[in-house]
Amino acid sequence: MGQQHEASTLGMWMFLATEILFFGGILAAYTIYRLLYYGAFRDGAHHQNWRIGAANTAVLIGSSLTMALAVWAAQTSRRNITVIMLILTLLLGGVFLGVKAYEYSQHVHEGLFPGTLFTYVDEENPGYTKGVELFMMFYFTMTGLHALHMVIGAGLLIWMIFRARRGDFGPEYYSPVEVMGLYWHFVDIVWIFLFPLLYLLH
Amino acid sequence: MVNDFPLWPERASTMAGQVDALFIALCIITGTVSVLVWSVIFFFAIKYRRSPENELAQDYEPPAILEVGWIVVPTIIFIGIFLWGAWLFFQEQRVPANALDIYVTGRQWMWKFEHPGGQREINTLHVPVGRAVRLTMASEDVIHSLFFPVFRVKADVLPNRYRTMWFQATKTGRFHIFCAEYCGTNHSGMIGWVEVMDDPSYQRWMAGGAESSMSSQGEDLFQKFACNTCHTNNASGRGPVLAGLFGKQVVLNDGRTVIADENYIRESILNPQAKIVQGYGPIMPTFQGQVNEEDLLKLLVYVRSLAAHPALTPANEPRSSGPARVAPQNPKGTQ
Amino acid sequence: MTSQTYHDVRLMEPVATRNYLNVDYGIFSWLLTRDHKRIGILYLISVTAMFFVGGTFAFLMRLELLTPQGDLVTSDTYNKLFTLHGIVMIFFFLIPSIPATLGNFLLPIMLGAKDLAFPKINLLSWYIYIVGAIFGIYVIVTGGVDTGWTFYTPFSTQYSNTHVFAVTLGAFITGFSSILTGLNFIVTTHRMRAPGLTWFRLPLFVWSMYATSVVMLLATPVLAITLFLLMVERVLGVGIFDPALGGDPLLYQHMFWFYSHPAVYIMILPSMAVISECVAAFTRKKIFGYKFVAFSSLAIAFLGFLVWAHHMFVAGISVYAALIFSFLTMLVAVPSAIKVFNWTATMYKASVSWQTPMLYVMGFIGLFTIGGVTGLFLGAIGIDVHVTDTYFVVAHFHYIMVGGAVMAYLAGIHYWWPKITGRMYPEWWGRVAALLVFAGFNLTFFPQFILGYVGMPRRYHAYAPEFQVLNVMSTAGATVLAVGYVLPMIYLSWSLVWGRKAGPNPWGAVGLEWATSSPPPKDNFLETPVVTWEAYDYPAFLKAMEKTQNV
Amino acid sequence: MADSHEYSDHAPTHHVTSLPVYFGIFAALMILTIITVAISRVDLGSLNTPIALSIAVVKATLVILFFMHVIHSTRLTWVVIISSLMWLALLFVLTFADFFTRDWQLY
Ligand code: HEA
Ligand code: HEA
Ligand code: CUA
Ligand SMILES: [Cu+2]
């Protein structure tokens, strides 16, 4: 079983390597435009509510902790704790997504959704308007992709909860939980970078 | 002029011979190595072909030192190729100081050329022989690429950005112009001719046609768009003085400095808020959507011509106006 | 040199009564299979079908180019033809071709494993490929797309009114299938090698596949995000890459080529993998400089990531960046040269057989060399300024991708055909087809070098009349080429039923795949092989074989 | 680092991280989050970005090493992570090599 276990964590790591380049690609684009439209991107970040962002960051870090604890519980044959921790992770993930949805609706409301819905005008610096739209484009794409990953993760979590309840996991076989954990932590890491880039740098 | 089965393009610019020289050299070098490789393969394949006597290969390995040889030698050759190609590229990029300016606008699917004297042409370009010509180019829509096979030069023409390219024709005649970057339905129809003329015919051609020069048209636009209400000739105006601006360093309000090149002027007109000159407020309105690509070029030529005015220009600072961005020599002048 | 181990698995006559083809029957035994060999066959069929789709577009293009006026099809149709030709050939044929068919089939066998590390993911990758291909076919059927396979912005985002969204989505999806394949190969190579099979005993095929997989893993996600941004831009009309809206089209090109240049090595490395195997088998020698060839694959994989902007020399990048990329382009050519020279040296004092796969191998080496050295022309910036976006480039990459990669694909198909199907192909017809392909190929694409240098731009529906003669030659060649490609289709299908039965090792080749029956049993080997010999240990193997059974 | 042999058949050490470590890392992550938010309220000029990103890097490293158990993982895992980061660096460096030298003059 050991070999299989190692293979699946290794496989997950390779997948995460591709994810690093996936998010890295958009990060490169973001960085270039941030430097080209410095002022506009600063103004753009002003439209983010850093309090909500910080709270959400805490939620996500919390979910990472519960995820890590779920792996620990699986490794040490604590079936009920595994299930509880997985459910907590799912809940925290749900809270995060809910908050995100709220933020999105706010932005759309303020006319900050790029494209035809974009009605916002930068009063101070009218010339920045286009740059702000670009910033919001990056904001929605990056957080949207991140949220998509969370949704996929949530789906996997439900499956894990089901399997954990069935008693599939134990010290000899826990690699699905472990792999799930790697994925979840990675999504957390992405957010750790998105948070300062999109909310704090102004 | 047009040979109906050409195997080699005509050489009609100062660059053409040099490009051909490298090309031929490469053909010889790589040809030799390739032919050698094939001959050896064939020789081995025949000499050591499988036969009842040669059912099993011989248990022999060539000396490993060969590896070093065929790593080091090709590397040296390749680096040599790089150096030669790079040197050529520098020649292709460095515009001679006294180049004649011509302005190019690409759009789906035609080329518009405008001479400083104000002559405009579509899909045909008249240039004098023996004189360096610098093209300043922008596109109105998608990316195009202006290609003169006989001059061996081309450059992509980008929207919202000026690019330059130069050549010096060495032969009179009529040669192809192609659009080399795919640009939609009629990409293959975005073609034209360049007419290289000897000096007398060129002067005759230049004399006809235009009503007024590009820069004086630009001056008119400068008034029409009311630029002159802010940009006056003295520092007390609401906007900075534009005389002597081109090619100089500009200090911005966030402390950065930029060089006032074609793209900076362009941005200043279309997106003035992007870079604010130190000491001024962000009050200049954008002219995006009001000035079209050709008017923009005229304004550019006008602003540039202000720099060329000897009375207004301090001695050229070598750092801020490198060889690529020499102030234009305006044949017709502004006045 | 190992001594002759007589309990050597290579010498045992494998007696599998059931093979992977006849263990179970029915369409679902194929569509739900997790057997890497069957998945390889699924890929083989789909990928080959795509090749003929792409080839048909090419043929229509060549017909159109017979006359300068462009009177066969409209310019819009022509633009769609070359776009679809490029997209189908690159994304749906060449990238999955060798890795997903031969690689899938052979990699586990060469490692002495029962299957890949993640059989279900392997099947998933095929389905993902099919979903991507369905988008491709949907686009073909409903009117096409006209952006060129490079989808340059702002044309693709703001100006084209064809199915850009659907086709980029198709390419985006297909990308995941190659990511999954690459991931599977890497994990399998690390974790599932048979006992005794150390890294330096691996066939060079595995080394090359490994290098390919690294590129797949690390390059493809960047394409994915690039196409994703392109789709966002097209749908929302926001200027990420559109200069009119504040974006920079060169950023798109950077991100696109960050994938697409390494992708050309995704296409050529597996071909090199096949060539290494074939050279060894048909010369009966150990590949000269095994380690150099092995590491040159990794070097190509790495250096291949550093040269992408050589596609953008005239696009408006900075002069200094152009210099850096030109220099690195020269470096990436070195490991390719190493391979060519080592293959050549292997033939010295060998026993060279002139069977069909070897004919393709010789064709490959010759044509790849031409394609490669013309790549050097393009990498020398001063020349690229003249020939970029002309038929010179078209000739360059067809020499590598058709003359190189497709030939290698054919070499591999012929070489492993007996293993895959248990039947021999007809040798005489094989040689005829190989010669036709070689002759037709050169007639098609050599004139294009001249056309390009004379100045004919690519993606031209109508062209200047003086280019006609060379274009007619090219079209004539394409006709011969078409025949050359259709022939193998016919005789290979024929051989499925009437071909001579192949034994486990019809070529007398070493390699674990030849130590199991043809076709192999479901789990590849009756018992896990233990490897005690070096790669390509022909001298010992052949002597041993001679003693036991008289070759 | 648990030592790992490429073709070892024995199962890898199933390292179980202890609870205090998990909670400790969690606390550290929370504190770092608070710090970066707090710092972002003060304007440090050009230092803003580097500080915010350094904190993010530290947080990410903590997650990778402890939550994702990389500190106890095989060398191969390290190679995978480091090479993907290196490749990302290539993308950044070479793309920027174009964008930020476009204004340079010819010598
Ligand atoms: C499988 C595909 C493949 C491969 C392997 C390559 C390999 C190479 N390519 Fe090619 N290339 C393409 C597919 C490929 N290319 C495609 C599809 C395009 C066009 C894309 C588009 O715009 O649509 C393209 C375009 C392209 C360009 C851009 C042209 C332009 O648009 O202006 C350049 C420029 O540098 C280039 C260079 C090279 C080089 C240097 C190699 C090197 O790796 C080659 C190395 C090999 C050798 C050098 C041969 C072996 C060496 C010897 C036998 C040694 C002997 C020689 C000497 C000592 C001189 N290629
Ligand atoms: C793997 C990649 C691959 C392969 C195998 C091919 C194969 C061929 N290609 Fe392709 N080609 C590309 C990749 C490839 N190409 C790419 C990436 C481009 C750039 C696209 C772009 O600009 O966006 C391109 C562009 C391209 C052009 C330039 C178009 C232009 O710029 O205007 C041309 C022109 O001759 C061409 C020709 C051919 C020919 C004749 C073949 C032949 O080898 C094909 C031979 C095969 C067949 C003919 C099919 C088999 C036969 C039948 C099915 C019989 C029945 C049908 C009939 C005879 C009608 N190709
Ligand atoms: Cu304009 Cu092609
Ligand atoms: Cu390339």
Side-chain angles (χ1 to χ4, degrees):
Chain A
M1 215 68 277
Q3 200 163 25
Q4 196 51 50
H5 167 84
E6 248 207 285
S8 48
T9 40
L10 185 59
M12 184 39 99
W13 271 112
M14 304 245 161
F15 182 72
L16 295 183
T18 70
E19 291 274 22
I20 289 177
L21 278 129
F22 184 76
F23 281 103
I26 195 167
L27 199 65
Y30 170 90
T31 313
I32 283 173
Y33 287 128
R34 191 184 161 76
L35 293 169
L36 291 180
Y37 295 91
Y38 192 71
F41 270 47
R42 245 179 8 197
D43 280 12
H46 279 303
H47 297 287
Q48 310 303 327
N49 186 332
W50 62 269
R51 283 168 235 268
I52 299 188
N56 237 357
T57 308
V59 169
L60 207 54
I61 292 177
S63 81
S64 251
L65 175 70
T66 53
M67 187 67 236
L69 294 178
V71 176
W72 169 83
Q75 280 175 327
T76 52
S77 333
R78 292 173 166 87
R79 178 165 143 199
N80 286 337
I81 296 186
T82 316
V83 175
I84 291 170
M85 284 303 158
L86 287 171
I87 292 177
L88 273 181
T89 313
L90 183 63
L91 285 180
L92 288 170
V95 170
F96 180 91
L97 287 173
V99 173
K100 202 78 235 151
Y102 167 76
E103 285 186 277
Y104 281 174
S105 71
Q106 289 290 311
H107 293 315
V108 174
H109 197 70
E110 288 166 34
L112 282 166
F113 189 79
T116 44
L117 294 178
F118 194 84
T119 53
Y120 167 87
V121 182
D122 196 325
E123 311 267 284
E124 263 171 75
N125 300 309
Y128 284 178
T129 307
K130 215 159 49 175
V132 172
E133 186 176 7
L134 209 54
F135 174 84
M136 289 312 288
M137 201 297 305
F138 277 107
Y139 168 80
F140 275 105
T141 317
M142 290 161 108
T143 57
L145 283 173
H146 176 258
L148 179 68
H149 279 78
M150 300 254 324
V151 171
I152 294 171
L156 294 173
L157 270 173
I158 292 174
W159 182 45
M160 281 307 132
I161 292 170
F162 172 75
R163 290 190 63 183
R165 283 199 44 190
R166 203 168 63 186
D168 280 7
F169 308 125
E172 283 310 310
Y173 178 70
Y174 58 88
S175 54
V177 195
E178 161 112 13
V179 166
M180 169 78 232
L182 290 180
Y183 178 83
W184 194 261
H185 297 309
F186 175 79
V187 176
D188 188 19
I189 290 176
V190 172
W191 183 258
I192 286 176
F193 283 98
L194 293 189
F195 174 57
L197 287 177
L198 297 173
Y199 288 78
L200 296 185
L201 296 182
H202 46 65
Chain B
M1 199 64 31
V2 176
N3 165 355
D4 48 341
F5 181 31
L7 294 175
W8 200 268
E10 275 188 76
R11 266 181 220 129
S13 77
T14 47
M15 284 309 300
Q18 304 195 38
V19 174
D20 284 0
L22 175 53
F23 187 80
I24 292 168
L26 281 181
C27 287
I28 294 172
I29 300 170
T30 60
T32 316
V33 180
S34 309
V35 168
L36 230 108
V37 171
W38 304 328
S39 322
V40 172
I41 287 179
F42 262 100
F43 177 72
F44 288 169
I46 292 168
K47 173 132 192 254
Y48 304 114
R49 68 187 173 280
R50 193 166 298 169
S51 61
E53 302 83 63
N54 186 24
E55 195 60 60
L56 304 185
Q58 298 168 45
D59 194 355
Y60 168 84
E61 269 201 27
I65 186 76
L66 281 173
E67 298 283 357
V68 180
W70 62 53
I71 293 172
V72 172
V73 174
T75 308
I76 293 171
I77 297 179
F78 295 165
I79 290 177
I81 297 175
F82 158 73
L83 289 175
W84 192 344
W87 174 77
L88 204 58
F89 184 57
F90 262 71
Q91 316 256 304
E92 282 163 354
Q93 294 297 309
R94 204 181 305 107
V95 189
N98 61 347
L100 176 71
D101 269 297
I102 295 178
Y103 298 87
V104 184
T105 314
R107 62 176 291 188
Q108 286 174 327
W109 292 277
M110 58 161 95
W111 293 109
K112 292 186 275 192
F113 301 100
E114 187 152 8
H115 298 259
Q119 296 84 352
R120 305 176 53 191
E121 13 182 11
I122 288 181
N123 290 346
T124 309
L125 172 62
H126 289 81
V127 294
V129 70
R131 174 113 192 251
V133 173
R134 173 170 65 166
L135 306 176
T136 302
M137 315 180 289
S139 160
E140 289 181 1
D141 36 49
V142 299
I143 304 177
H144 303 274
S145 185
L146 186 56
F147 178 28
F148 301 95
V150 292
F151 301 154
R152 310 284 190 278
V153 289
K154 76 159 76 65
D156 282 10
V157 179
L158 301 171
N160 205 24
R161 179 170 154 197
Y162 291 119
R163 301 215 46 215
T164 52
M165 163 166 98
W166 79 277
F167 57 81
Q168 176 169 345
T170 53
K171 209 188 225 179
T172 57
R174 192 158 179 268
F175 308 105
H176 281 297
I177 296 176
F178 292 126
C179 172
E181 182 64 59
Y182 175 66
C183 54
T185 306
N186 208 11
H187 161 61
S188 64
M190 195 165 160
I191 55 179
W193 297 95
V194 51
E195 301 264 6
V196 183
M197 310 197 277
D198 57 24
D199 224 39
S201 345
Y202 182 70
Q203 293 307 339
R204 226 173 306 124
W205 185 83
M206 285 297 280
E211 251 121 68
S212 60
S213 74
M214 269 182 96
S215 70
S216 69
Q217 292 179 45
E219 197 172 358
D220 293 346
L221 290 169
F222 204 72
Q223 259 137 46
K224 185 182 147 210
F225 289 116
C227 316
N228 55 350
T229 56
C230 301
H231 297 286
T232 56
N233 252 337
N234 56 59
S236 61
R238 287 199 288 161
V241 177
L242 299 184
L245 167 70
F246 193 83
K248 292 293 166 323
Q249 295 222 331
V250 178
V251 182
L252 303 181
N253 64 352
D254 55 7
R256 286 182 294 165
T257 56
V258 291
I259 288 169
D261 60 6
E262 295 92 341
N263 283 313
Y264 172 76
I265 306 288
R266 179 189 180 93
E267 190 184 36
S268 294
I269 300 172
L270 295 182
N271 189 10
Q273 317 287 327
K275 298 194 177 95
I276 307 288
V277 183
Q278 195 164 49
Y280 291 88
I283 54 164
M284 175 165 163
T286 169
F287 288 85
Q288 180 100 49
Q290 299 175 42
V291 246
N292 65 25
E293 209 51 65
E294 282 158 87
D295 286 352
L296 208 51
L297 276 173
K298 287 175 187 137
L299 284 170
L300 169 69
V301 173
Y302 174 66
V303 172
R304 227 189 204 177
S305 72
L306 295 174
H309 199 292
L312 294 170
T313 324
N316 250 358
E317 288 164 19
R319 269 301 300 156
S320 60
S321 59
R325 312 188 200 284
V326 190
Q329 306 284 302
N330 220 326
K332 288 265 158 139
T334 0
Q335 284 75 37
Chain C
M1 265 320 106
T2 32
S3 60
Q4 294 97 354
T5 28
Y6 287 109
H7 50 273
D8 191 330
V9 294
R10 293 172 299 173
L11 300 176
M12 297 190 301
E13 194 57 49
V15 277
T17 47
R18 296 231 135 211
N19 61 49
Y20 78 102
L21 291 171
N22 63 15
V23 277
D24 42 19
Y25 296 95
I27 183 86
F28 286 107
S29 75
W30 283 87
L31 292 182
L32 299 178
T33 183
R34 288 170 204 169
D35 183 345
H36 66 99
K37 298 183 286 304
R38 286 193 168 197
I39 296 170
I41 302 239
L42 291 176
Y43 263 118
L44 180 72
I45 295 167
S46 22
V47 156
T48 307
M50 279 308 200
F51 173 74
F52 282 98
V53 172
T56 307
F57 291 135
F59 201 79
L60 291 173
M61 256 154 51
R62 285 309 334 161
L63 280 182
E64 155 62 50
L65 293 173
L66 265 177
T67 55
Q69 300 83 9
D71 34 20
L72 181 67
V73 295
T74 64
S75 54
D76 272 326
T77 311
Y78 182 81
N79 296 343
K80 288 174 183 166
L81 284 177
F82 69 70
T83 304
L84 291 169
H85 167 69
I87 292 173
V88 167
M89 285 299 198
I90 300 255
F91 294 116
F92 297 115
F93 166 63
L94 199 49
I95 286 183
S97 65
I98 296 179
T101 59
L102 296 172
N104 237 331
F105 193 97
L106 292 163
L107 192 90
I109 308 188
M110 286 183 170
L111 296 175
K114 286 200 172 95
D115 206 319
L116 287 170
F118 309 113
K120 277 188 236 167
I121 287 183
N122 197 16
L123 182 64
L124 179 67
S125 96
W126 183 72
Y127 276 102
I128 292 177
Y129 168 81
I130 290 295
V131 172
I134 286 173
F135 274 95
I137 289 169
Y138 161 80
V139 168
I140 293 170
V141 175
T142 56
V145 55
D146 70 344
T147 58
W149 81 279
T150 45
F151 309 117
Y152 271 17
T153 56
F155 182 74
S156 62
T157 50
Q158 307 292 333
Y159 290 86
S160 173
N161 51 9
T162 53
H163 295 287
V164 181
F165 188 85
V167 86
T168 40
L169 187 59
F172 177 87
I173 294 172
T174 320
F176 288 98
S177 102
S178 63
I179 289 178
L180 294 182
T181 304
L183 190 155
N184 228 333
F185 283 6
I186 296 188
V187 176
T188 310
T189 311
H190 273 285
R191 288 286 171 259
M192 306 196 35
R193 298 193 305 277
L197 192 54
T198 59
W199 280 92
F200 291 112
R201 285 178 175 175
L202 290 173
L204 288 166
F205 187 90
V206 177
W207 277 95
S208 258
M209 281 300 160
Y210 186 87
T212 311
S213 306
V214 171
V215 184
M216 283 175 165
L217 275 187
L218 294 173
T220 318
V222 178
L223 177 74
I225 191 70
T226 310
L227 294 181
F228 187 84
L229 288 175
L230 189 135
M231 290 186 265
V232 169
E233 168 155 346
R234 193 169 161 89
V235 171
L236 295 182
V238 186
I240 313 164
F241 301 132
D242 182 354
L245 301 169
D248 187 339
L250 290 189
L251 180 65
Y252 171 80
Q253 297 178 17
H254 275 297
M255 293 176 69
F256 179 82
W257 291 114
F258 180 86
Y259 164 76
S260 290
H261 183 83
V264 309
Y265 297 113
I266 297 181
M267 307 177 216
I268 205 67
L269 279 168
S271 315
M272 294 166 159
V274 169
I275 297 303
S276 293
E277 292 305 305
C278 290
V279 167
F282 292 94
T283 59
R284 297 199 160 154
K285 273 191 85 105
K286 183 181 168 93
I287 296 284
F288 178 60
Y290 172 94
K291 285 195 182 173
F292 286 90
V293 180
F295 283 116
S296 67
S297 294
L298 297 182
I300 291 177
F302 175 70
L303 291 172
F305 275 91
L306 306 180
V307 305
W308 74 80
H310 65 205
H311 297 273
M312 304 162 61
F313 284 154
V314 304
I317 58 171
S318 93
V319 174
Y320 294 92
L323 289 182
I324 298 171
F325 280 106
S326 170
F327 178 73
L328 293 166
T329 299
M330 295 301 155
L331 293 191
V332 77
V334 175
S336 300
I338 295 177
K339 285 190 196 271
V340 169
F341 291 129
N342 277 295
W343 290 324
T344 310
T346 305
M347 293 170 72
Y348 184 58
K349 298 207 173 173
S351 160
V352 183
S353 144
W354 285 67
Q355 278 151 310
T356 310
M358 191 61 190
L359 294 185
Y360 281 117
V361 167
M362 292 196 260
F364 173 95
I365 300 180
L367 301 180
F368 171 73
T369 302
I370 299 186
V373 297
T374 50
L376 295 173
F377 287 49
L378 296 169
I381 328 179
I383 289 188
D384 189 62
V385 169
H386 174 54
V387 293
T388 181
D389 279 321
T390 66
Y391 264 80
F392 192 89
V393 177
V394 175
H396 154 66
F397 65 73
H398 282 92
Y399 260 83
I400 295 196
M401 301 203 293
V402 184
V406 176
M407 283 233 177
Y409 183 59
L410 286 168
I413 296 282
H414 283 86
Y415 175 49
W416 284 294
W417 192 252
K419 184 52 62 186
I420 296 173
T421 65
R423 306 269 180 173
M424 293 303 288
Y425 61 85
E427 183 61 41
W428 190 82
W429 283 107
R431 290 183 199 184
V432 169
L435 287 178
L436 275 181
V437 169
F438 185 81
F441 174 83
N442 281 298
L443 186 55
T444 312
F445 292 107
F446 196 80
Q448 297 188 357
F449 280 125
I450 304 169
L451 270 179
Y453 199 73
V454 177
M456 177 167 165
R458 62 191 284 204
R459 298 171 171 177
Y460 260 33
H461 159 249
Y463 53 86
E466 67 263 31
F467 300 143
Q468 189 175 10
V469 180
L470 290 164
N471 269 296
V472 171
M473 287 163 72
S474 182
T475 303
T479 317
V480 179
L481 195 53
V483 177
Y485 286 140
V486 171
L487 259 187
M489 277 301 281
I490 297 173
Y491 67 72
L492 289 177
S493 314
W494 173 90
S495 78
L496 285 178
V497 184
W498 292 286
R500 187 161 53 79
K501 277 222 156 59
N505 190 355
W507 311 113
V510 292
L512 277 175
E513 78 268 31
W514 303 111
T516 184
S517 52
S518 308
K522 183 165 184 306
D523 287 336
N524 297 343
F525 301 96
L526 298 177
E527 52 189 284
T528 308
V530 177
V531 178
T532 54
W533 59 89
E534 302 303 308
Y536 311 114
D537 186 10
Y538 275 94
F541 171 67
L542 291 170
K543 270 184 220 118
M545 197 153 136
E546 218 173 26
K547 264 188 213 152
T548 44
Q549 56 194 130
N550 281 322
V551 182
Chain D
M1 208 200 309
D3 93 343
S4 75
H5 295 286
E6 278 285 342
Y7 352 92
S8 63
D9 280 331
H10 65 82
T13 40
H14 288 226
H15 189 94
V16 181
T17 310
S18 65
L19 286 185
V21 173
Y22 281 137
F23 285 106
I25 296 300
F26 173 70
L29 290 172
M30 287 311 225
I31 292 167
L32 285 168
T33 307
I34 293 168
I35 293 180
T36 134
V37 172
I39 288 186
S40 79
R41 300 286 92 210
V42 227
D43 191 12
L44 296 173
S46 60
L47 283 178
N48 276 336
T49 314
I51 290 184
L53 287 181
S54 319
I55 295 181
V57 168
V58 173
K59 283 162 78 180
T61 316
L62 290 177
V63 174
I64 291 179
L65 288 181
F66 297 98
F67 281 4
M68 298 169 94
H69 307 146
V70 167
I71 200 152
H72 300 295
S73 295
T74 58
R75 216 167 336 142
L76 189 58
T77 312
W78 286 79
V79 171
V80 171
I81 298 166
I82 289 170
S83 48
S84 70
L85 292 175
M86 202 180 85
W87 252 264
L88 187 59
L90 294 179
L91 171 65
F92 271 75
V93 170
L94 284 174
T95 308
F96 290 6
D98 168 24
F99 275 86
F100 301 116
T101 60
R102 279 198 203 154
D103 287 340
W104 290 11
Q105 316 278 307
L106 290 185
Y107 41 91

